[in-house]
């Protein structure tokens, strides 16, 4: 089966850094995604990790440790527009794509 | 380029009425297709996914069903809606065979059962 956990909500200040953790238990693990979702909109892709280590994309970075079943998304130089929900999702070998409950990030001035 | 169409954008239906939501993908073939439901302020709950025509994997029981009559068409149905079926329904596709391919989402259908 698949089980994904992430914090419900986080608050940070504009210009700061926030780290959103995600733990997963996925049979036949085949990669981990991070998506951003603004209220009332569809999710949009941020990153994908299948090998251990850090993937950096501009202000956003994502890390994976397969042995620990752990990932995090790091948001640097936070901007007001980064206020959104961030969804962690794992893929199984059978192409099942399961999402966690999402972490709502509120950026304050 | 690939696109995904999902309709309608909003829907208000009475309890006990039937439901049919349609999703089609253009510009690709043999996609993996997914239906999700999202309650307000919550994550995406996987309802059904399909790796091929007529192949449906169900993640939730109850009164919803899905069908894939054509390669790029995925339909979510119900014979009798419940109040608890209200939510934001999202269809997504993902390239089959690619291990690092992202999922692309439709714009969603906001369903209110009254």
């Amino acid at each position: 089966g698949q089980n994904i956990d992430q914090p419900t909500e986080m608050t940070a200040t504009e210009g700061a850094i926030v780290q959103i953790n995600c733990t997963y238990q996925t049979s036949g693990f085949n990669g981990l995604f991070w998506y951003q979702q603004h209220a009332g909109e569809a999710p949009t892709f941020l990153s994908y990790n299948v090998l251990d280590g850090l993937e950096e994309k501009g202000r956003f970075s994502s890390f994976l440790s397969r042995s620990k079943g752990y990932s995090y998304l790091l948001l640097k130089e936070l901007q007001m527009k980064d206020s959104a929900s961030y969804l962690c999702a794992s893929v199984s070998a059978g192409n099942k794509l399961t999402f966690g409950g999402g972490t709502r990030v509120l950026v304050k001035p | 380029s690939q696109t995904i169409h999902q309709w309608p954008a909003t829907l208000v239906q009475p309890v006990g009425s039937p439901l049919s939501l349609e999703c089609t993908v253009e510009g690709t073939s043999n996609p993996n297709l997914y239906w999700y439901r999202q309650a307000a302020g919550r994550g995406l709950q996987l309802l059904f996914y399909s790796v091929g025509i007529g192949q449906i994997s169900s993640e939730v029981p109850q009164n919803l069903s899905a069908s894939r009559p054509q390669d790029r068409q995925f339909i979510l149905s119900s014979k009798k809606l419940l109040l608890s079926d209200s939510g934001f329904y999202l269809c997504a596709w993902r390239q089959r065979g690619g291990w690092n391919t992202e999922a692309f989402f439709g714009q969603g259908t906001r369903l209110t059962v009254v």
Side-chain angles (χ1 to χ4, degrees):
Chain A
Q2 289 171 288
N3 191 36
I4 299 174
D5 290 310
Q6 52 182 128
T8 306
E9 194 169 292
M10 301 181 75
T11 301
T13 305
E14 193 174 14
I17 298 173
V18 69
Q19 177 175 315
I20 306 169
N21 296 323
C22 170
T23 57
Y24 64 89
Q25 293 172 314
T26 301
S27 301
F29 178 75
N30 206 20
L32 191 121
F33 289 94
W34 282 97
Y35 278 79
Q36 181 191 59
Q37 186 182 27
H38 285 99
E41 299 180 6
T44 55
F45 171 78
L46 290 178
S47 68
Y48 173 80
N49 295 69
V50 68
L51 301 176
D52 289 353
L54 187 68
E55 296 276 344
E56 295 187 83
K57 264 189 189 180
R59 295 189 299 115
F60 293 2
S61 303
S62 56
F63 171 83
L64 178 68
S65 168
R66 289 173 300 173
S67 62
K68 295 181 180 177
Y70 167 70
S71 173
Y72 69 72
L73 179 69
L74 196 68
L75 314 181
K76 303 174 191 174
E77 300 169 20
L78 279 172
Q79 302 175 9
M80 298 300 292
K81 67 178 182 180
D82 296 329
S83 290
S85 286
Y86 292 85
L87 307 169
C88 172
S90 70
V91 182
S92 71
N95 289 296
K96 181 177 172 181
L97 178 62
T98 302
F99 283 80
T103 298
R104 203 156 43 245
V105 171
L106 177 62
V107 181
K108 294 186 172 178
Chain B
S1 63
Q2 302 93 348
T3 55
I4 177 169
H5 302 281
Q6 185 183 342
W7 67 92
T10 58
L11 193 58
V12 180
Q13 291 283 104
V15 168
S17 64
L19 173 74
S20 181
L21 300 181
E22 188 163 341
C23 172
T24 59
V25 181
E26 295 178 358
T28 188
S29 58
N30 301 317
N32 292 318
L33 296 171
Y34 305 85
W35 275 112
Y36 294 91
R37 177 171 61 200
Q38 187 174 37
R42 307 292 293 274
L44 273 61
Q45 178 190 23
L46 178 62
L47 301 176
F48 302 94
Y49 68 102
S50 171
V51 299
I53 297 175
Q55 299 178 58
I56 309 293
S57 295
S58 174
E59 293 298 302
V60 293
Q62 301 150 25
N63 64 323
L64 295 174
S65 62
S67 62
R68 185 171 177 172
Q70 300 179 48
D71 181 46
R72 291 171 290 177
Q73 184 184 32
F74 205 22
I75 298 172
L76 182 69
S77 304
S78 174
K79 291 183 179 177
K80 286 187 177 181
L81 283 169
L82 307 172
L83 286 174
S84 58
D85 291 324
S86 294
F88 190 42
Y89 287 80
L90 287 156
C91 179
W93 77 273
R94 191 167 167 260
Q95 191 69 51
R96 195 189 305 179
W99 54 270
N100 64 341
T101 56
E102 66 188 270
F104 297 90
F105 285 84
Q107 289 308 295
T109 296
R110 189 160 305 282
L111 171 67
T112 305
V113 182
V114 296

